[in-house]
Amino acid sequence: MVKITELADSLDGWPKSKDLETTCIQCIGQEFLQFQTLAAIGENLEELDELFSKLSMTTEGDEGEEEDGVEDDSPVIDLFSLSEKQLEGLNYYQVLHLPYKAHLTPDDVKKAYRKASLKYHPDKSGRGEEDAVFLKVKAAFETLSTQKQAYDSTEMPFDDSVPEEGDTVDNFFAVFGPVFERNLHFDARLLPNNGGKNLSNNTSSKNRRKSRNSSQAAAGENWKPPSLGDESTPIEQVHEFYDYWTHFTSWRDFGLQASRELETQDHLENAESRFEKRWYQKEIDRRAKKLKQQEQARITTLVERAMAADPRLIQERKRLLEEREMKQKQREQEALDKKRKQEEAKLAEERRIQEEKDRKVEEKLQREKEKKMLRKAKQAFRRVVGEALSALLEPEHALEDPVDEICNKLNRNQLIKFTTKLESLQANPAQVVQAVKQRVENIDQVDDEEGEDEENAPPNSNGTGTTQNGSCATAESNKETTVEPAPAQFALLKKM
């Protein structure tokens, strides 16, 4: 045990031990052990103080090494040396001497706050609870611990500008490249694991289905978002880049900005009931949602303007337009060819129908002609027979049945030949009558001479050779009846 009074008596300005109450204490800790070791070897107090200072520096250095990963590289700012205006101009990262990074955790903020409290806490500074510096430090800790994304989204400086539509294609990559790069800061798919779950997996299932990059974002830490590239970038990668940004998911939180615009933060904290607090929170959420929609519209505008000005997409659209025009021309040509073939087929069908009509008309005329010639042949035959009967003073209807049978069964050539034979016998009317009767008896027999004439006879209207009873066959095939002269007509034949 070491009495603290023995050490106090050796210090200048310290009260004498006789004026103080003597108390024994139990010393512990690494510093006391080192002090006891030095005291045992007889080190003097000056060397002991120097050792204490070195030990203190070593301890602070060890604490600093533990927090090297989150400390800012910029010089430490002494907040006590700043005026209220200057202090108001500092952001919360500068107040806690933290780097402005999206992956800072609440533990990192807590460590920085503890370190700042060693200097700025009222118990250390003696400036009271209402010290503006400590209130700033406390506000920085509370905000970055619970609302870091909201603070980073709206309170930290960020260029929200989007290139205008008038930007030329020549400087496209220089104009749009930096804009896409700085907006990647708010990409939810680039955030580290939060509670063992990648935030890129928290995007909606709809976006995961649409975007081809969502599965890649969760594939591993080495994955990087597609870049804008340059003029030599393949068109597939260009489409992949714009597909990524078309389904871009931002982690920006506009809660702080909404509460500031609505001036409801104080009302929310001092609400008299949970119903009032709930109402203020709903108003803040409604305004934050509207600001989020405006942010999404800004990203959409950026993507649309970039796609409109991208020389690679312009070239691709030109190529696709040429292909569409070519295909359209091919379709039009195919339609014209098809229409032309249909018209030709239609004209050919019309010609065939017209030819068929003409053929039928010609056949009809030929049949009419044949009928007319047959009718004249019958009239001539009846005239010869009528003259022979008149010469014999026979009744006109004496041979009516034989004459009708001969007219019905003999064709035109046979009838003309028989009429010619009768005309040669016209000097002897009896022989004419006898020849008619004999012909009726042999009407079904064809002599050799008549057979040869039938073989050499021209085809009838049906395109076949004339038969023995060709005149009747022709009339029956066309379902036409031959008009025979009435008995009274024999008188006219006789006069002829």
Side-chain angles (χ1 to χ4, degrees):
M1 300 293 292
V2 179
K3 293 183 179 181
I4 194 172
T5 54
E6 296 179 359
L7 178 60
D9 290 340
S10 63
L11 298 177
D12 295 337
W14 191 265
K16 298 299 181 180
S17 59
K18 62 181 180 179
D19 300 331
L20 299 175
E21 181 181 357
T22 302
T23 303
C24 294
I25 61 174
Q26 180 68 39
C27 298
I28 60 174
Q30 183 179 5
E31 295 182 359
F32 170 72
L33 294 176
Q34 293 179 359
F35 166 76
Q36 191 175 29
T37 301
L38 294 176
I41 61 176
E43 294 289 345
N44 55 35
L45 293 179
E46 293 180 0
E47 294 177 352
L48 186 60
D49 291 338
E50 183 179 355
L51 182 61
F52 280 165
S53 62
K54 291 181 179 180
L55 181 61
S56 178
M57 292 175 61
T58 303
T59 305
E60 292 178 0
D62 294 338
E63 294 177 356
E65 289 178 359
E66 294 178 358
E67 300 178 357
D68 280 346
V70 296
E71 279 195 350
D72 195 357
D73 296 334
S74 60
V76 180
I77 301 175
D78 186 5
L79 302 182
F80 288 146
S81 63
L82 301 178
S83 62
E84 292 184 2
K85 186 176 181 179
Q86 292 174 336
L87 185 63
E88 197 67 27
L90 295 179
N91 60 56
Y92 288 163
Y93 290 95
Q94 293 173 330
V95 171
L96 296 180
H97 193 57
L98 286 172
Y100 175 44
K101 295 181 180 180
H103 64 267
L104 289 179
T105 64
D107 291 337
D108 298 332
V109 178
K110 187 175 182 180
K111 290 179 182 179
Y113 173 68
R114 286 178 177 178
K115 188 174 181 181
S117 296
L118 295 176
K119 182 177 181 180
Y120 301 115
H121 196 277
D123 294 344
K124 298 293 184 179
S125 64
R127 297 168 65 121
E129 294 290 339
E130 300 299 327
D131 181 26
V133 173
F134 178 69
L135 293 178
K136 184 79 172 181
V137 173
K138 185 178 179 180
F141 168 68
E142 293 176 351
T143 301
L144 296 182
S145 297
T146 59
Q147 295 179 301
K148 181 180 182 302
Q149 287 190 355
Y151 182 80
D152 293 348
S153 300
T154 56
E155 304 303 321
M156 293 299 294
F158 181 78
D159 186 6
D160 286 333
S161 62
V162 175
E164 298 295 334
E165 296 182 0
D167 290 331
T168 60
V169 179
D170 297 335
N171 58 349
F172 170 78
F173 299 100
V175 172
F176 282 89
V179 180
F180 282 108
E181 289 296 329
R182 67 170 176 260
N183 279 279
L184 280 176
H185 176 73
F186 299 114
D187 191 353
R189 286 169 281 191
L190 298 182
L191 291 178
N193 291 343
N194 185 9
K197 186 180 294 185
N198 193 296
L199 291 181
S200 62
N201 294 332
N202 293 336
T203 56
S204 64
S205 59
K206 182 178 180 181
N207 284 346
R208 288 202 304 271
R209 289 193 299 270
K210 289 182 178 180
S211 178
R212 293 177 293 180
N213 301 308
S214 58
S215 59
Q216 297 175 347
E221 296 179 355
N222 295 329
W223 176 84
K224 293 183 179 180
S227 62
L228 182 61
D230 52 22
E231 295 181 355
S232 61
T233 303
I235 193 64
E236 292 80 10
Q237 296 182 13
V238 176
H239 288 309
E240 181 181 356
F241 171 80
Y242 286 110
D243 181 72
Y244 181 90
W245 280 94
T246 300
H247 305 99
F248 180 83
T249 304
S250 175
W251 54 259
R252 296 189 80 172
D253 185 353
F254 295 90
L256 287 178
Q257 181 177 347
S259 61
R260 185 178 67 251
E261 293 180 357
L262 297 175
E263 298 180 354
T264 57
Q265 187 63 34
D266 293 339
H267 298 284
L268 184 64
E269 294 175 355
N270 301 323
E272 296 180 356
S273 65
R274 67 175 182 274
F275 300 104
E276 183 180 0
K277 185 176 182 179
R278 190 181 302 166
W279 184 86
Y280 283 122
Q281 187 61 49
K282 284 184 179 179
E283 292 296 320
I284 294 174
D285 294 341
R286 187 180 293 108
R287 178 58 181 170
K289 183 179 180 180
K290 185 175 181 180
L291 293 174
K292 185 74 172 182
Q293 292 174 352
Q294 294 176 0
E295 168 67 7
Q296 191 62 38
R298 184 184 69 85
I299 296 297
T300 302
T301 301
L302 170 63
V303 176
E304 290 177 350
R305 291 182 180 178
M307 294 179 69
D310 195 331
R312 301 164 299 184
L313 292 183
I314 293 176
Q315 187 67 23
E316 179 69 7
R317 287 193 291 269
K318 183 178 179 181
R319 183 185 65 82
L320 294 177
L321 180 61
E322 292 176 354
E323 290 182 357
R324 284 196 296 269
E325 291 178 351
M326 185 178 299
K327 291 181 180 179
Q328 181 66 21
K329 290 181 180 179
Q330 292 178 354
R331 288 193 294 269
E332 292 176 355
Q333 186 64 34
E334 291 176 357
L336 291 175
D337 294 341
K338 183 178 180 181
K339 184 177 181 181
R340 178 176 55 80
K341 291 181 180 179
Q342 291 176 350
E343 291 178 353
E344 291 178 353
K346 183 178 180 180
L347 292 176
E349 182 66 16
E350 290 177 354
R351 284 196 300 269
R352 186 190 65 78
I353 295 174
Q354 186 64 34
E355 291 175 357
E356 183 70 15
K357 290 180 178 179
D358 295 341
R359 184 182 63 80
K360 290 181 179 180
V361 170
E362 185 178 356
E363 290 178 354
K364 184 177 181 180
L365 293 176
Q366 186 66 24
R367 287 194 301 271
E368 293 294 335
K369 184 177 179 181
E370 290 289 336
K371 290 179 181 179
K372 186 176 181 180
M373 294 176 67
L374 179 61
R375 187 166 52 252
K376 288 183 179 181
K378 289 180 179 181
Q379 290 175 357
F381 170 68
R382 290 178 185 277
R383 177 179 56 79
V384 172
V385 174
E387 290 177 353
L389 291 175
S390 298
L392 296 175
L393 301 176
E394 293 287 338
E396 295 180 354
H397 57 277
L399 297 177
E400 182 178 359
D401 293 337
V403 169
D404 291 342
E405 186 175 358
I406 290 173
C407 290
N408 290 334
K409 291 188 175 181
L410 296 184
N411 60 28
R412 180 173 59 84
N413 291 332
Q414 291 174 341
L415 191 60
I416 291 174
K417 185 176 180 180
F418 184 62
T419 302
T420 303
K421 181 179 178 181
L422 293 179
E423 288 177 351
S424 63
L425 299 175
Q426 200 170 13
N428 191 350
Q431 293 182 355
V432 172
V433 173
Q434 185 64 28
V436 170
K437 293 179 179 181
Q438 186 177 0
R439 188 70 180 87
V440 171
E441 293 176 358
N442 301 327
I443 193 66
D444 295 330
Q445 298 179 1
V446 182
D447 57 4
D448 297 337
E449 185 177 359
E450 290 179 351
E452 293 177 358
D453 292 340
E454 289 177 1
E455 292 178 358
N456 297 326
N460 58 11
S461 60
N462 293 327
T464 59
T466 306
T467 60
Q468 183 178 357
N469 55 350
S471 61
C472 296
T474 303
E476 292 176 0
S477 63
N478 292 279
K479 296 182 179 180
E480 297 178 357
T481 58
T482 305
V483 180
E484 300 294 339
Q489 293 177 342
F490 283 93
L492 296 175
L493 292 174
K494 184 177 180 180
K495 292 180 180 180
M496 293 174 64

